[in-house]
Amino acid sequence: MDWNFETAENLGAALRAGDVTSVELTDEAITRIERDDKAVNAICVPDFDRARAAARGADRARARGEERPLLGIPVTVKESYDIAGLPTTWGMPPYRDHQPTEDAVQVSRLKAAGAVVLGKTNVPLGLQDVQTFNDIYGTTNNPWDQRRTPGGSSGGSAAALASGFGALSIGSDLAGSLRTPAHFCGVYAHKPTLGLVASRGMVPPDAPALPAEHDLAVVGPMARSARDLTLLLDVMAGPDPLTLGTAYGLTLPPARHERLRDFRVLVLDEHPHIATGAAVRSGVERVADALADGGARVERHSPLLPDPAEAGLLYMQLLVSGSVARFPTDAYEQLRSMVAELPVDDRSLQAARLRGMVFSHRDWMEANNLRELHRHGWRRLFTEFDAVVCPVTPTPAFPHDHHPDPLERLIAVDGVEYPYFDQLVWAGLPTMPGLPATAVPAGRSPEDLPVGVQIVGPMFEDRTPLRLAELLEQRIGGFLAPC
């Protein structure tokens, strides 16, 4: 039997039943990687010797009667996580030889749960792209069409899952970096509520692995099924033991509903800042129809929805506001001059990004106060709805574009071109207020490319969008391996 595309849940059941060993699963995964990854380039740092040793240890533990959530299951880890003895570079050539001596907290949790780490997955330079390529490890291709990107920055993890290289992976998300690759590669991902999952050790190689809390950014699970997302989130979730974990434990509330017909869902497919492509719109429609056919209450508009136009501008400002902290003074002053020349009434996303780059502390506080008003608006919305379904990006996976200046790139939506980073506004819709969002497959485009949607839920009610994702998987299907 080919185990490589089985879910982690099924692999766990097979391991408990004695139908397969962890050594067999690990050897089969390694064989597949060695055979197929030359074309995909998802696994940038293999760790096969230690994986085989961990698999042998998992089999011995099971023989002793031990039970752990991921015992013996092969997984991968995004390159940006520290793993002792392996390079952590974030794709930055000056750090190609950087090797941390301590595992990231999430790597430690994976290992404690019994997972077998096959290796690390590729990332874009500095994790700052919607694609996955760098000068150390090269370009990761989309398994569905190698001429196209798998997304970024967790593109290597999504491509690995779609290719059968391990049952689970862990990534990170600041601008859709979990959800966009899942959407482009036809797999599942969950962006947790901001602050739910500790991120220590998911840090640039020139920075210490401190238990800092980062604005907007989260780490989270990726998988080939919705139930596997919940399985992995339960391993990952919880405060850092060095900080909040000293005083607090974690108790996530259950999903609001178990039956599809009890859900109240707001469906969105239009954004004031960018068009939605026909292929993505069709995916949203397929999900909306499945929800309605299952008895859910589906609405298309609500006056309670916080203004998405304002939210898009605010997200862009918060996203880039910290990006110039290390800029040379002359470069910063040049940015200030550019902002001074902007028309006062320029409300474009490009202008918002420029203004955000030169935010003063006062500017940031004003933006943060506005964010709190949006968060309050979302709380009000979730008294009337249980979830919001919307696109992840306006298009399916697009062709590789390695123009050295991302600000010169464009994204084409049904033939109309927009600034490259404008495509982030859908991902930013839940990111700016810190809401959980689950990316789920929603069909295929006319070019046979995966199309996904995201299910946005109430803050710290992560089990609600995850449960709705499970119910949708049952009605419309989920992951399909690339042909």
Side-chain angles (χ1 to χ4, degrees), residues 23 60 96 102 107 118 124 127 132 136 158 187 201 224 229 279 282 286-287 291 302 324 329 331 447:
V23 167
R60 289 193 297 268
R96 65 171 67 244
E102 184 178 8
V107 173
L118 297 167
L127 313 189
T132 296
I136 300 177
V187 299
R224 286 191 295 267
L229 286 181
S282 294
R286 186 174 186 224
V287 169
L291 291 169
S302 172
V324 297
T329 301
E447 294 81 20

Side-chain angles (χ1 to χ4, degrees), residues 124-125 127-131 133 152-153 175-177 180 271 273-274 312 315-316 319-320 323 348-350 352-354 357 392-394 398 401 403-412 417-428:
L125 176 67
L127 313 189
Q128 295 181 337
D129 205 340
V130 191
Q131 304 176 72
F133 65 94
S153 61
S177 289
T180 298
H271 199 287
H273 286 299
I274 194 168
Y315 169 68
M316 290 297 177
L319 177 66
V320 305
S323 64
S348 69
L349 295 173
Q350 285 274 52
R353 287 188 286 270
L354 278 174
M357 285 184 175
V392 178
T393 73
F398 53 86
D401 181 355
H403 192 291
D405 183 358
L407 297 180
E408 295 295 322
R409 299 179 197 160
L410 298 171
I411 184 72
E417 293 183 327
Y418 295 84
Y420 182 70
F421 288 118
D422 284 11
Q423 64 184 299
L424 301 181
V425 289
W426 279 117

